[in-house]
Amino acid sequence: MADKTFLNWPFFEPRHRAISEALEGWADSNLHAIDHSDTDAACRDLVAKLGAAGFLQHSAVDPATGGNLDVRTLCLIRETLARHDGLADFAFAMQGLGTGAISLFGTDAQKREWLDQTRVGKAISAFALTEPQSGSDVANSTMTATLDGDDFILNGEKTWISNGGIADVYTVFARTGEAPGAKGLSAFVVPADLPGFEVVERLETIAPHPLATLRFTDCRIPASALIGARGDGFKIAMSVLDVFRSTVAAAALGFARRALDEALDRVTQREVQGAPLFDLQMVQGHIADMALDVDAAALLVYRAAWTKDSGALRITREAAMAKLFATDQAQKVIDKAVQLHGGDGVKSGETVERLYREIRALRIYEGASDVQRVVIARQALGNR
Ligand code: COS
């Protein structure tokens, strides 16, 4: 059973402990029954179940009452789901990322049209930012949205889009041309049944989840699909990523906690020369390093979430530090857990083998580790 003492840290309120406990019970009773053989079907099933159980309410703001996203809740939910099942974490996370721009910058009408559905699992959402020629370099995105009367016409490609192929609604970033670079992009809410929209390729990865390349050919959308102001697309994308990078860090923390737990089981149950592996001081050293990395990552994750929930306009530095440290250290923690499992650690179907595959992408998506270093360095310079 993973350590829960962190719930008593001062970042959390009683409502956070209540959600964490409720989700833990729900995950114990529901996640073992998810059939992972068909990833699309599993994701749809997970979104429906998380919606029915009420947990997706936390993935977006409530159109009826407004308010803010509670980033500590997002983080606790992702951490808990990731500890149980990476695909369940993915299904929850994408409902939030896919609608994050609407939650933070959408009109009341956009919120009512989409969030009422995504918050109960009746619609699936996706965040379409990356392009074939611009992953890290968002300012050089080339997809266009050209004004034509009261409509915009979308043309271009997006790739590595999570939930691509199963989403009902996409947040799409495209060049509207107010200025070159970062100041010439805008954000749009785009339904998947739009004429001219197609999924051109499904992408397979080492930890399967729905991923696709999308093409937009003369897709006509009304001007009411614009999220926020024209030309603000880059800032909108970065503001959404500030929140959701913190939650990627939380997912990595969940994977690392599970790996530490699995390693503790292994070294206390497995004997070498008549005594548990844990009796070897070298093994204790590995366990100590893993526990230290988990707590240090947790502090950075909860610091970022708490800072945003406390009213900070931007958590660029905090989110980048949390994501960089939590994902990189989780990779190390999981690698140690694999090592402590010996041959079983690389056997297909073992929990640590699955974690080893699942953690890798978190160091790349939503801003690769080196992008986070760039962000942290600029923030350090700017704060002098
Ligand atoms: N929140 C709000 N505004 C932000 C912001 C943030 N987190 N980050 C930058 N901005 C603003 C800046 O303040 C600047 O506006 P002003 O000129 O008015 O001050 C504008 O946006 C441009 O910022 P900057 O000059 O830093 O842009 P760059 O092109 O240099 O940004 C990085 C470079 C690498 C930081 C950025 O492109 C990035 O984060 N890339 C990774 C993208 C990513 O995560 N991709 C994965 C897609 S989702 S899987």
Side-chain angles (χ1 to χ4, degrees):
M1 180 60 185
D3 174 24
K4 292 290 181 58
T5 53
F6 63 89
L7 286 169
N8 294 320
W9 292 0
F11 301 103
F12 298 113
E13 299 168 19
R15 66 194 168 94
H16 296 117
R17 288 185 271 280
I19 287 170
S20 170
E21 198 178 318
L23 182 58
E24 191 70 46
W26 182 87
D28 277 339
S29 336
N30 288 276
L31 290 181
H32 60 85
I34 302 294
D35 175 6
H36 285 68
S37 59
D38 178 338
T39 312
D40 287 2
C43 271
R44 289 195 179 98
D45 190 23
L46 282 161
V47 168
K49 287 195 164 88
L50 284 162
F55 295 111
L56 289 181
Q57 303 277 331
H58 302 286
S59 67
V61 301
D62 183 349
T65 56
N68 298 315
L69 289 167
D70 190 84
V71 188
R72 288 167 294 173
T73 301
L74 286 172
C75 286
L76 282 179
I77 291 178
R78 287 203 65 178
E79 171 183 337
T80 307
L81 291 175
R83 191 155 43 71
H84 285 271
D85 182 319
L87 204 58
D89 163 57
F90 169 84
F92 174 82
M94 290 307 134
Q95 289 300 92
L97 179 67
T99 58
I102 301 178
S103 276
L104 298 179
F105 300 96
T107 61
D108 286 347
Q110 288 167 342
K111 287 178 185 162
R112 276 194 308 276
E113 181 175 5
W114 289 109
L115 303 188
D116 280 340
Q117 296 186 65
T118 60
R119 292 174 80 247
V120 293
K122 297 247 185 281
I124 294 179
S125 70
F127 183 77
L129 178 63
T130 301
E131 298 184 359
Q133 301 307 325
S134 64
S136 297
D137 190 8
V138 176
N140 275 320
S141 300
T142 58
M143 178 165 164
T144 55
T146 313
L147 195 60
D148 181 37
D150 286 339
D151 297 335
F152 283 95
I153 314 287
L154 302 179
N155 278 294
E157 276 195 15
K158 296 283 172 182
T159 193
W160 295 111
I161 306 308
S162 291
N163 273 348
I166 69 164
D168 301 290
V169 60
Y170 294 82
T171 298
V172 177
F173 296 85
R175 184 159 296 288
T176 36
E178 292 70 24
K183 291 189 167 54
L185 300 174
S186 299
F188 298 91
V189 52
V190 178
D193 57 5
L194 197 68
F197 168 80
E198 58 183 322
V199 174
V200 289
E201 187 186 3
R202 298 297 300 268
L203 306 166
E204 303 291 328
T205 54
I206 55 173
H209 63 271
L211 261 184
T213 301
L214 317 174
R215 183 175 299 144
F216 300 80
T217 311
D218 293 332
C219 284
R220 183 174 286 273
I221 46 167
S224 59
L226 182 70
I227 304 173
R230 277 185 67 169
D232 276 357
F234 184 92
K235 288 185 183 180
I236 290 173
M238 292 303 137
S239 304
V240 170
L241 287 171
D242 277 357
V243 170
F244 286 92
R245 280 174 181 163
S246 315
T247 77
V248 176
L253 175 60
F255 288 148
R257 285 196 195 282
R258 179 65 182 265
L260 174 57
D261 218 26
E262 296 291 324
L264 284 168
D265 283 349
R266 175 76 180 194
V267 300
T268 48
Q269 288 161 15
R270 174 90 174 176
E271 293 201 343
V272 58
Q273 295 169 352
L277 267 178
F278 186 79
D279 285 4
L280 299 174
Q281 280 194 348
M282 208 173 309
V283 170
Q284 291 173 23
H286 290 310
I287 295 291
D289 288 345
M290 294 161 82
L292 179 61
D293 280 340
V294 164
D295 270 16
L299 283 164
L300 285 170
V301 172
Y302 305 148
R303 191 263 303 245
W306 174 86
T307 305
K308 185 69 182 162
D309 292 343
S310 301
L313 281 180
R314 279 179 63 169
I315 51 164
T316 306
R317 178 179 75 154
E318 292 84 351
M321 284 185 174
K323 183 176 188 286
L324 174 63
F325 189 84
T327 58
D328 278 4
Q329 297 315 112
Q331 181 90 60
K332 291 182 186 152
V333 169
I334 293 166
D335 189 64
K336 281 193 198 308
V338 167
Q339 197 69 18
L340 290 169
H341 276 73
D344 289 340
V346 289
K347 196 165 145 201
S348 296
E350 290 289 324
T351 299
V352 290
E353 178 269 344
R354 173 176 57 78
L355 292 167
Y356 190 76
R357 287 182 290 104
E358 282 179 323
I359 187 59
R360 192 61 186 85
L362 277 66
R363 295 171 58 211
I364 299 171
Y365 68 58
E366 289 182 49
S369 292
D370 284 333
V371 167
Q372 306 310 329
R373 288 190 174 88
V374 168
V375 172
I376 294 166
R378 288 180 182 184
Q379 292 281 315
L381 190 65
N383 283 343
R384 287 206 308 164

